Amino acid sequence: MNGINPNAIRAFTSWVLVLCFWLVANFGFCQTPKGNAAKGYEALTERAFVPGQFPRSQIDNAWKLWGLSEKPANYGQLFRERYGLSEAPYPNKGLPMGLKASRMPFGSDGASLDCLTCHGGSLLGESFPGLGNTMLDLQAIFEELSTKGTKPIRTPYTFSNARGTNEAGATAVYLGGLRNPDLSPRLPWRNLGLHDDLCEDVPAWWHLKRKKTMYATAEAEAASVRSIMQFMMHPFNLTSAFNREEDTFRDIQAWILSVEAPKWPWGLDSGKVSRGEVVFRENCSRCHGTKDHYPNKVIPLDEIGTDKTRYAGIEPAFGEFYNQSWFSKERNGWFGDGYKSQRSGGYQAPPLDGIWATAPYLHNGSIPTLEHLLNSKTRPSVFTRTFRTNEADYDRVKVGWKTISPAEGITDSALEARKIYDTGKSGRGNQGHTFGDGLTPAARGDLIEFLKSL
Ligand code: HEC
Ligand code: HEC
């Protein structure tokens, strides 16, 4: 230390500390605004972010397309069951959760989709905002409600092929093709790689707080507010609407981060739970983490072996559009100007909190229960379910929704055909993720008991 003056070291250190403090205060964390969860819930449940898509008169008269001769007394209930919507657990002007009263482009009464169409599910008969809606028939909603008549309309691409899943990715790709990077409208439509067979199962919102990257393929940053605004690309929303609503969506994101996983409502065998935890640690936690630590791992497609259609179905052309566009230019302090999407080469091993409540499983909803997931030889290749979520519809042993073998001959209408999940169809493969196959039945039973406790 000869020759170095300790006072100079002290002075230098304090100078560095002051500089760091100033940088952080001016450009770092302090610049990232925080959302307000309560305001976010208000926005989610009270506001429409796209102009009316469905005339109110059609919502009130859709029974005319159902082959009925008069309006049934329990119309509201039949309406919810046909389209896979639940009662709104908040005031919603007589509409179910997932439809929001709004004005049609020329001013008449109408309704729009909102986030809860897909992200508002139902569990044991109770509506549950933040749980993926695995009952939804989005194709029927567009065909039968966006008309003003007694014949279903033809949609420009398929909104859902298998009931309970949807083609949200295709919607982003289709609508992105009508925008320039600054989100001003463009014509003619540009094909950014439209595929409508990705068969997406909607993830539960309570996972977002644990994730660094989001979507099944982990190709977007979980912190991005603008990414979840892609839903607003309705052709009538101008660029100014996106800028105006960014703070609202920050609030919505804050509410999403506050959603908690539901607890298994029945008894658990604590001996089995602790034995199951050991099985989990030995076979599963290298990818899925533990209760306290979530590793955010992406597993390459060939290693996980699950259906690749979802991964391949969002093409680099869309990624390039996204990365040039307003969506990726979110300001985030001094060290970066946005959240770019990136190719990941695989699927993210999701957190497993509340996994009992989010059947069916995998990114494409191809596996009805945990028992089937963890014993691949037993997975059904064609199945249907009641599309209700009461206790009677839930399988507490296999853990997931009860399956029914489809009766012959009920596939004559497209609506009935969508209720049948056929794993032989494109995007719906149920292969891969065979990590439970080598377990003994006893170890698998213990593991499932542990998974119920998460
Ligand atoms: C048409 C159905 C649909 C609508 C409407 C919708 N989403 Fe989603 N959302 C999905 C699907 C499907 C995924 C999963 C996509 C994938 O990875 O394949 C998803 C993923 C997400 C994720 C990432 C979750 C995770 O853990 O990776 C967030 C956050 C999200 N949506 C927020 C929203 C918000 C906010 C809205 C309303 C502005 C909204 N979504 C509207 C279907 C929808
Ligand atoms: C090599 C990494 C890896 C291992 C080991 C692994 N998983 Fe997974 N797991 C994944 C990935 C990746 C996915 C998502 C795959 C997809 O959706 O295509 C997944 C999906 C799941 C899902 C479905 C999640 C949902 O929301 O649909 C469950 C449940 C699950 N794993 C449980 C387990 C259990 C239990 C074990 C141990 C027997 C295990 N995993 C072992 C990587 C792994």
Side-chain angles (χ1 to χ4, degrees), residues 126-304:
E126 297 280 327
S127 302
F128 194 131
L131 171 69
N133 183 359
T134 59
M135 310 294 143
L136 184 67
D137 188 342
L138 196 58
Q139 183 64 21
I141 291 182
F142 274 96
E143 283 181 2
E144 298 184 359
L145 303 183
S146 48
T147 154
K148 246 194 177 167
T150 50
K151 281 215 166 60
I153 58 141
R154 284 173 69 91
T155 55
Y157 57 91
T158 306
F159 286 90
S160 61
N161 296 288
R163 186 162 176 163
T165 67
N166 63 71
E167 299 298 327
T171 302
V173 172
Y174 181 79
L175 295 175
L178 291 166
R179 302 267 173 178
N180 294 309
D182 65 357
L183 299 190
S184 57
R186 65 156 280 146
L187 279 173
W189 176 71
R190 185 158 59 119
N191 188 352
L192 297 169
L194 182 67
H195 299 279
D196 55 4
D197 58 351
L198 311 192
C199 210
E200 293 158 89
D201 178 52
V202 183
W205 271 352
W206 60 78
H207 288 158
L208 193 67
K209 59 168 105 46
R210 305 197 72 187
K211 295 169 98 174
K212 287 201 174 73
T213 43
M214 63 180 174
Y215 305 134
T217 52
E219 292 188 332
E221 302 278 338
S224 169
V225 170
R226 290 190 179 184
S227 183
I228 56 178
M229 296 177 73
Q230 291 177 76
F231 167 81
M232 277 182 61
M233 283 192 284
H234 184 289
F236 283 41
N237 272 339
L238 305 177
T239 315
S240 54
F242 289 84
N243 284 315
R244 201 176 53 235
E245 299 296 358
E246 188 169 347
D247 285 343
T248 315
F249 275 80
R250 189 166 290 108
D251 293 339
I252 290 177
Q253 186 194 53
W255 189 76
I256 294 176
L257 296 175
S258 77
V259 178
E260 293 292 340
K263 292 271 169 263
W264 175 258
W266 302 288
L268 287 170
D269 177 333
S270 57
K272 285 180 86 176
V273 171
S274 30
R275 288 197 301 277
E277 187 164 7
V278 178
V279 181
F280 186 81
R281 239 183 286 130
E282 284 166 1
N283 297 279
C284 322
S285 55
R286 75 185 157 101
C287 296
H288 291 285
T290 60
K291 277 185 197 161
D292 309 316
H293 171 67
Y294 174 61
N296 277 284
K297 282 228 174 110
V298 177
I299 311 303
L301 295 176
D302 285 331
E303 187 180 343
I304 190 68

